[in-house]
Amino acid sequence: MSWDATILTLFPEAFPGILDVSIIGRAREQGIWSCEAVQIRDFATSKHRNVDDTPAGGGPGMVMRADVLAAAADSVERRGRSLIYMSPRGKPLTQARVRELAAGPGAVILCGRFEGVDQRFLDARDVEEISIGDFVLAGGEVAAQTLIEACVRLLPGVLGASLSSEDESFESGLLEYPQYTRPRDFEGREIPPVLLSGDHEAVAGWRRKQAL
Ligand code: SAH
């Protein structure tokens, strides 16, 4: 059973995008996770296949229509997956929420464009709004890829034995200690001697202190 992402977007060609490289891409080839992009426009019923319209009350830009979004979302087999709208107004994404999502069956993710989406769609389908930070993107696609990548790297078998996610930033409530590798001298800057001492306890102590 794989972890399945279904993305509702006006730009399905953006997926898997960056998610097709390195360990995340390999994990998809191995069937650890899957990625299906659904074209929202396919659910537009008007003559000109409009997915957006002018904001009620006036103002600049366009708003994605609730009826089109509902039809697109309802076409997806949820199978217990959360319906998430990537939104600058959403709850800030945390490693704790990433862990929860990674432990589940996957996610159905709506990517907005223009000025955003009709509020009635969010209310009617009980949508979870998640933000990737206090700044505004042009669309939800990069935000969705951020969320998916954070989840997929936690799936069993993705990082392999080489990397453990336990020592990492946020996992213990602390940030990760600084890392070093060869060369021993870089522009006159040495690797902290304790890391070259071979004393595992001293190394662990140093790292704990740095993390604090
Ligand atoms: N007018 C809106 C911004 C729309 S940006 C506002 O002021 O809130 C267009 C789309 O980009 C949004 O619908 C959302 O899906 C996505 N987006 C923009 N910034 C984001 C962020 N920080 N986190 C997640 N998604 C974001």
Side-chain angles (χ1 to χ4, degrees):
M1 224 185 57
S2 68
W3 192 89
D4 301 315
T6 300
I7 302 107
L8 308 173
T9 172
L10 290 172
F11 301 97
E13 67 274 20
F15 294 88
I18 193 66
L19 302 174
D20 230 16
V21 307
S22 190
I23 53 167
I24 308 292
R26 224 152 29 234
R28 197 172 70 84
E29 276 167 19
Q30 291 166 356
I32 294 175
W33 72 286
S34 77
C35 174
E36 180 201 15
V38 172
Q39 171 57 274
I40 294 169
R41 200 172 296 281
D42 291 346
F43 296 87
T45 51
S46 68
K47 207 172 97 197
H48 296 290
R49 303 210 135 211
N50 288 331
V51 294
D52 58 336
D53 213 323
T54 53
M62 300 292 268
V63 176
M64 294 175 82
R65 291 171 54 126
D67 54 350
V68 178
L69 292 173
D74 294 348
S75 79
V76 175
E77 237 191 285
R78 285 281 288 278
R79 286 178 286 118
R81 293 177 295 169
S82 298
L83 176 56
I84 295 166
Y85 168 48
M86 304 313 302
S87 158
R89 269 185 1 200
K91 247 195 180 176
L93 184 60
T94 61
Q95 188 66 13
R97 185 67 185 121
V98 166
R99 269 207 176 282
E100 278 171 14
L101 285 169
V108 180
I109 308 172
L110 167 63
C111 304
R113 280 275 157 178
F114 321 117
E115 289 310 312
V117 310
D118 189 310
Q119 181 63 36
R120 293 170 297 175
F121 165 73
L122 301 176
D123 297 339
R125 292 298 181 274
D126 198 20
V127 180
E128 175 181 357
E129 292 185 66
I130 295 182
S131 165
I132 64 159
D134 286 344
F135 44 81
V136 181
L137 300 166
E141 286 76 13
V142 167
Q145 290 177 351
T146 301
L147 173 62
I148 294 168
E149 179 163 312
C151 291
V152 169
R153 65 189 289 285
L154 296 181
L155 300 177
V158 174
L159 292 188
S162 64
L163 260 171
S164 142
S165 53
E166 272 153 40
D167 256 13
E168 279 178 336
S169 297
F170 307 117
E171 290 302 340
S172 53
L174 301 174
L175 298 178
E176 197 183 50
Y177 44 81
Q179 300 273 20
Y180 301 86
T181 187
R182 276 184 277 274
R184 195 170 172 151
D185 179 305
F186 165 68
E187 297 180 348
R189 295 166 192 267
E190 298 271 342
I191 293 176
V194 59
L195 298 180
L196 306 172
S197 68
D199 181 341
H200 297 303
E201 234 168 84
V203 169
W206 181 87
R207 285 180 168 168
R208 213 164 25 247
K209 221 160 101 200
Q210 293 296 314
L212 285 168

